[in-house]
Amino acid sequence: MATPDVEAVLLESVEEPQPPELQDLVSVDGLITEPVLGIRMLMSSRDVGSIIGKGGMTIKAFREQSGARINISNSTSSERLVTVTGTKDSVCKAFEAIGKKIEQDTASAKPADSEATPSVSFRLVIQTSQCGSLIGKGGSKIKEIRESTDASIQVAGETLPNSTERAVTISGSPDALTLCINQICAIMLENPPRGPFIPYKPHALPNQAYQPRVNPNLPFQAPYTATFHTAAGPATTTQQMRIPNDLIGCVIGRKGSKIHEIRVSSGAQIKIAGNEGETQDRLVTITGTPEAVGMAQYLINSRIHSEVNSFISVGMNL
């Protein structure tokens, strides 16, 4: 179990507002900007306490230095999910900072006469449909990543329990891991997740499981959309995006099929405002847990960039 100070910061981290550079990421003056993505990883409670720091000062510094949003799940498990959301550059900076902090802690804990350089490991959690792109045909892509980054990378053969995600373990020096994360980000942006998405949730420790609070007055409550927490305080966040009118159709899809798929996959509530007056864009409001909101933003941006790339391809072929 985390210490009381860590628990307080964990709850605080869930409510951390999104950095300005992630606001309205889809459009700036009607132009498409760099896409956002989210990468999740499993960390031990001990390592989580290390990156949070006393009074949350360490994780606050990581957020400010990288420009990424770093959220930590509130769980009774021995492992916690850490979600890093932002542009590819900001995500890489955040992982670099986390890797160096873990390396520093590991080095300080080893015997004074040891000369071995400590290796750092990240256990990423990635959607199965994207793991194929990460491996490549005949393992060509994963081999290329290993050779170009000097990092060790292993993709689990089985999905994590009760999910459609796999564990991807990367190990090496912080610099090697940063190069590896950069390539993984590029692959994830080029290959958005496909099919149903069931996120992995760490199991509670024995005798510490808790039951979700269900409102009997509501008809049906779909999994992953309800917010459960073990301490008082809000556990949801709301973010807004502006999407150009000529691109909103690819997000909604035929008869609302795409936006429904994004809602189900992310577990977030998504509302699209009507086209009022002569505005050039539509306001999209996303509500849910930080992880759900980050995933919804990523899926929306993936749809938009896929549409824009198709326009570019058609234009080049004319």
Side-chain angles (χ1 to χ4, degrees):
M1 289 292 289
T3 64
D5 287 343
V6 171
E7 285 291 349
V9 177
L10 289 175
L11 290 174
E12 180 180 306
S13 70
V14 169
E15 301 170 5
E16 178 71 12
Q18 209 173 23
E21 56 268 38
L22 295 185
Q23 299 283 0
D24 298 334
L25 191 63
V26 174
S27 70
V28 176
D29 296 330
L31 299 176
I32 301 300
T33 61
E34 190 176 353
V36 66
L37 79 159
I39 293 188
R40 304 197 305 154
M41 66 174 167
L42 286 165
M43 294 187 75
S44 67
S45 294
R46 184 191 62 182
D47 285 340
V48 164
S50 173
I51 68 169
I52 289 174
K54 187 175 181 180
M57 294 303 295
T58 303
I59 196 170
K60 181 181 179 182
F62 289 169
R63 287 167 175 153
E64 292 174 349
Q65 293 166 9
S66 67
R69 189 178 66 185
I70 307 172
N71 289 305
I72 301 170
S73 66
N74 182 27
S75 170
T76 57
S77 169
S78 59
E79 290 185 309
R80 296 184 186 271
L81 276 169
V82 178
T83 304
V84 182
T85 309
T87 63
K88 183 174 74 168
D89 183 57
S90 63
V91 167
C92 289
K93 287 179 180 178
F95 271 95
E96 180 180 18
I98 293 171
K100 288 183 176 179
K101 181 67 172 77
I102 294 176
E103 181 189 50
Q104 177 186 343
D105 291 347
T106 304
S108 63
K110 71 178 183 179
D113 57 351
S114 175
E115 297 181 356
T117 302
S119 177
V120 178
S121 293
F122 289 143
R123 193 177 179 214
L124 309 180
V125 179
I126 296 178
Q127 173 74 340
T128 295
S129 63
Q130 293 176 300
C131 287
S133 302
L134 189 60
I135 295 170
K137 188 174 182 181
S140 58
K141 193 63 183 178
I142 199 169
K143 180 181 179 182
E144 177 187 323
I145 295 173
R146 288 173 180 146
E147 292 175 349
S148 62
T149 66
D150 278 336
S152 167
I153 176 170
Q154 295 181 324
V155 179
E158 301 293 331
T159 57
L160 290 163
N162 304 314
S163 77
T164 56
E165 296 182 299
R166 293 192 201 181
V168 176
T169 304
I170 60 175
S171 304
S173 68
D175 289 340
L177 293 183
T178 302
L179 292 173
C180 188
I181 288 291
N182 183 69
Q183 294 205 31
I184 291 174
C185 286
I187 292 171
M188 292 177 70
L189 287 171
E190 292 170 2
N191 302 274
R194 303 183 304 276
F197 172 63
I198 303 175
Y200 172 68
K201 296 189 176 183
H203 295 291
L205 293 172
N207 302 322
Q208 291 183 324
Y210 61 92
Q211 296 296 322
R213 297 190 293 273
V214 178
N215 186 343
N217 297 320
L218 296 180
F220 171 74
Q221 298 177 356
Y224 310 115
T225 57
T227 299
F228 311 128
H229 49 88
T230 56
T236 62
T237 184
T238 297
Q239 299 295 336
Q240 293 184 322
M241 308 169 70
R242 290 192 176 276
I243 301 178
N245 287 333
D246 55 356
L247 289 173
I248 195 67
C250 74
V251 176
I252 296 174
R254 183 179 176 84
K255 295 183 179 180
S257 59
K258 291 300 179 184
I259 194 67
H260 174 72
E261 180 181 316
I262 293 173
R263 286 177 178 134
V264 172
S265 296
S266 67
Q269 297 179 24
I270 306 172
K271 295 182 180 180
I272 301 176
N275 188 9
E276 300 177 359
E278 298 180 357
T279 57
Q280 299 298 311
D281 49 33
R282 303 275 285 276
L283 182 65
V284 178
T285 303
I286 309 171
T287 304
T289 65
E291 293 85 357
V293 171
M295 178 57 69
Q297 288 178 310
Y298 170 60
L299 294 173
I300 290 173
N301 276 288
S302 296
R303 285 291 308 160
I304 290 173
H305 281 270
S306 176
E307 185 78 1
V308 170
N309 288 337
S310 68
F311 287 158
I312 294 173
S313 298
V314 171
M316 292 178 64
N317 292 329
L318 291 179

